[in-house]
Each structure stands twice: as structure tokens, then as C-alpha cells.
Amino acid sequence: MTPEQRVAWMAARTKHGAYLGGLEKPEHYVWRTMIARCTNEKSKHYARYGGRGITVCKRWLKYENFIADVGERPSKQHSLERINNNAGYKPSNCRWATASEQQRNKSSTYIYTGPKVSGTLVECDTKLGLSKELAWWRWRTWGTFIKGEQWLRQKKMPLKNK
């Protein structure tokens, strides 16, 4: 690419402000890859998105509208989340969320319920002050996070909330 071609190429991409100083903004990268996943059959992740009917609303085909609706990313730890995994990308179904917030929304995430705590494994171990490994072992082995309740479960005795 000649220097003149590069200047023209950059000018075509800077009218929306997503390329500043020659670098792509993170929000633009999220927007660009979102569209590719849903519309480009050659995209690596098309089968999990566009291939199963996940679409991008017409309004969001323009970067400026996408930013107007979701705003800039709050921090480096945030990424775009679809609240309903079976619905497409649109203002009412998307938000910026951290990895731990998104973990709860995955179809493979198990929600543990018990007499004292309920939530994902990480939420339960945090509430109880346990390591993730110990909480998982207790649930897998005893069917509960609470020490002592395993004996009650084995005896089929009712558990009481305190």
C-alpha cells in the first residue's frame, strides 16, 4: 500500500472516530467482529451465531448507532453480552458486562441451590468464604456446600434454615 493509499484508507475509516491515531478503538473491534460472526459465512464463529439465526439489528449496521445505543466500554474487563443468548444483537438485548457477569448467562452454567446459599459456584464460594475447589468438591461429594449438612442428606433428614 502506497502512502497515498494508506491516507485514503485511513480517511475512509476515521469519519466515525473509531480509528484514532491509526489504532482501532476496542468498541469498533467488538462491533466489527459482532457483524462478522452474524453475517459472514467464512467467519470462524459463524456457525454459533449467524448459522443458528443470531442477527444484528439494521440500526446497528452503522457503528455510530451502535455506540449511541450501548455507549463506550466501561473498562477493559467489559465485553458485549447478549442478555438472551437465543436473541440477536439489538439495544434491548445487549449490555457491557464483566466475565463473571457473563458466566451466569451461559447455557452451561449450573445454578446451585441450597438452604443457605444459591447461585453459581463462584457466587456460593464467595458468600461462604470457601475456595472454588473446596466448594466444588463439597457439592460433588456431599450435594451441599455446608459442612455437616452431608450427614443430614445421607440420613434423608430435613434441612433447616437458620
Side-chain angles (χ1 to χ4, degrees):
M1 180 181 296
T2 67
E4 295 80 22
Q5 289 173 324
R6 178 156 176 76
V7 168
W9 181 82
M10 287 301 295
R13 284 153 183 78
T14 56
K15 61 184 172 188
H16 48 60
Y19 284 87
L20 298 176
L23 299 175
E24 183 177 25
K25 290 177 73 176
E27 295 84 0
H28 189 269
Y29 175 79
V30 168
W31 171 78
R32 185 171 52 82
T33 56
M34 167 189 69
I35 291 175
R37 286 191 302 265
C38 296
T39 62
N40 183 355
E41 293 181 14
K42 293 181 182 179
S43 171
K44 180 179 174 181
H45 300 292
Y46 178 80
R48 292 185 2 224
Y49 291 87
R52 68 179 190 99
I54 303 300
T55 59
V56 177
C57 71
K58 285 185 180 183
R59 176 172 164 74
W60 280 10
L61 295 178
K62 287 188 74 175
Y63 174 71
E64 295 86 349
N65 294 336
F66 170 74
I67 286 298
D69 291 340
V70 297
E72 292 196 3
R73 191 168 69 154
S75 75
K76 289 183 177 184
Q77 288 73 40
H78 286 77
S79 59
L80 191 65
E81 176 188 42
R82 282 177 296 119
I83 298 163
N84 176 352
N85 282 327
N86 295 318
Y89 289 95
K90 56 187 176 184
S92 62
N93 192 43
C94 292
R95 66 182 182 136
W96 295 111
T98 62
S100 60
E101 290 169 334
Q102 289 189 29
Q103 179 67 32
R104 190 169 178 80
N105 196 21
K106 286 174 57 177
S107 59
S108 61
T109 298
Y110 183 79
I111 302 298
Y112 301 88
T113 56
K116 294 185 181 177
V117 292
S118 63
T120 64
L121 177 67
V122 173
E123 291 169 345
C124 291
D125 68 38
T126 301
K127 290 175 189 173
L128 295 170
L130 303 172
S131 69
K132 182 171 64 172
E133 293 79 12
L134 178 58
W136 181 82
W137 181 87
R138 283 184 179 179
W139 186 266
R140 195 184 100 216
T141 306
W142 299 341
T144 180
F145 297 114
I146 313 300
K147 192 172 185 175
E149 284 184 3
Q150 78 279 10
W151 183 82
L152 294 172
R153 287 188 188 277
Q154 290 170 355
K155 300 290 184 189
K156 306 276 191 250
M157 297 178 78
L159 297 173
K160 295 180 183 176
N161 285 335
K162 292 184 179 179

